[in-house]
Amino acid sequence: MGRDPDYLAFIRDRLAAPAGGAAGNAAGGGTVEDARRAHAADLARSPRPPAGAVTDLVVDGAAGPLPARLYRPARDGPAPVLVYFHGGGWILGDVDSYDPVVRALAAASGVAWVSVGYRRPPEDPFPAAVDDAAAAARWVIANAAGLGVDAGRVGVAGDSAGGQIAAAAAGRLRHAGPARPVLQVLLYPAVDLREVPPPLPDPDGLDFAPSRIDRALDAYLRDTDRTLPEVSPLLDPDPATLPPAVIATAEYDRLRPQAERHAARLRAAGVPVTLITGTGLDHGFLGWGSFARRPAAAITELGAAVHRTLTGVPDRPQPARPRP
């Protein structure tokens, strides 16, 4: 069927721009710092919508302090909160470059988000990011009163590579008493790192830059066993003990089949799962809600699911709207 005309025009313009291949290809060429700058420039094209009160923080990681940013909605009383881990192929991205994405998620969901700058390879390979994710979730719970969030309604979230980190942290914290996440939000996540999945057929014949994710995985995992559940959460041997999940996919994303298998496996084990199918969308759509109707609608649907799950009520903020 293909992408709708409004969204297709945006994707074509994006691919034609100088940084069009940055998000998918940055891990493969030049220095790591060059790749990080290109990726940040690509994300910087998205506007930063209002998202309540935004405060920079320092949280405790597994090996020292980490930069973080709190997005707290305007509401009375402690807010439910998601501890968020950004994407970027494990190597790229940081709290500031993903600010547009988290602002969009915070505005759509009406709950608080704490975006955490975890350690990255090649400087710090696996399991540093997962160690930091678990430590950061514990820190948010321990400091909930000062943050204005509800210690009893803390979840973990992440997109792409950050989805793998969030899912691994949810598995690690499943039996942790008060530190157990009440929800895991996995946004077009990588949950099976045994091999690089092949690209899906493109209905519109678009020419995307070749993926270099194999190099990113080598830097992240080195010689780690890729069948470990904290590497490939799809292989978790006890999914019934995992927290409820909201999982979002993108139709033309090579990661979609593994995310769908993960959702099906959780459901079969009795775990409540809300699956948001990003029909007609591509990997990375969370930053594009200001540019086209289809990603804006998917972000609104995702925000409503998160709001409903964490608050138990259906009311939510007004949907994000693309710029004319």
Side-chain angles (χ1 to χ4, degrees):
M1 179 174 165
R3 299 164 180 86
D4 74 39
D6 166 69
Y7 174 65
L8 179 59
F10 161 71
I11 289 291
R12 284 179 169 153
D13 288 346
R14 172 179 162 76
L15 292 176
N25 198 34
T31 68
V32 170
E33 288 308 315
D34 288 340
R36 287 171 176 165
R37 282 192 292 270
H39 186 59
D42 184 46
L43 287 165
R45 290 188 280 171
S46 295
R48 303 189 181 212
V54 180
T55 308
D56 285 335
L57 305 171
V58 176
V59 307
D60 290 343
L66 300 172
R69 189 167 292 171
L70 169 65
Y71 303 78
R72 191 180 182 284
R75 56 174 288 161
D76 295 330
V81 62
L82 288 165
V83 186
Y84 165 83
F85 312 104
H86 62 77
W90 297 278
I91 294 173
L92 313 180
D94 55 28
V95 169
D96 192 60
S97 63
Y98 273 78
D99 183 67
V101 171
V102 188
R103 284 174 175 268
L105 292 168
S109 65
V111 303
W113 294 67
V114 175
S115 177
V116 177
Y118 54 85
R119 288 173 293 160
R120 303 166 297 178
E123 299 90 342
D124 295 288
F126 178 88
V130 178
D131 293 344
D132 283 347
R138 292 179 185 275
W139 185 93
V140 168
I141 291 170
N143 292 272
L147 299 174
V149 300
D150 185 348
R153 291 186 292 174
V154 178
V156 293
D159 70 286
S160 191
Q164 182 265 335
I165 294 166
R172 183 178 293 188
L173 296 171
R174 76 183 87 194
H175 301 305
R180 173 183 165 85
V182 299
L183 179 67
Q184 51 180 326
V185 179
L186 311 179
L187 310 169
Y188 36 79
V191 289
D192 184 356
L193 306 192
R194 288 175 292 179
E195 59 185 11
V196 177
L200 302 180
D202 192 282
D204 300 301
L206 297 182
D207 186 18
F208 290 90
S211 171
R212 298 291 184 268
I213 195 63
D214 54 337
R215 300 184 187 182
L217 283 173
D218 288 344
Y220 177 50
L221 297 174
R222 298 188 182 177
D223 58 357
T224 302
D225 180 357
R226 298 190 182 193
T227 67
L228 293 174
E230 286 196 355
V231 172
S232 296
L234 178 65
L235 306 180
D236 192 294
D238 192 13
T241 61
L242 292 170
V246 172
I247 299 176
T249 63
E251 183 175 4
Y252 307 125
D253 178 13
R254 68 175 69 206
L255 298 179
R256 174 178 55 79
Q258 60 183 257
E260 291 174 343
R261 290 195 297 273
H262 191 50
R265 192 162 184 264
L266 290 173
R267 280 176 172 162
V271 176
V273 176
T274 300
L275 181 62
I276 309 296
T277 57
T279 304
L281 290 173
D282 299 88
H283 192 88
F285 71 79
L286 291 172
W288 305 336
S290 296
F291 303 118
R293 290 183 294 272
R294 184 67 197 97
I299 293 166
T300 297
E301 183 182 4
L302 170 61
V306 168
H307 183 92
R308 182 172 58 250
T309 305
L310 282 177
T311 69
V313 296
D315 297 333
R316 53 180 168 78
Q318 290 298 310
R321 297 186 184 278
R323 296 188 301 188

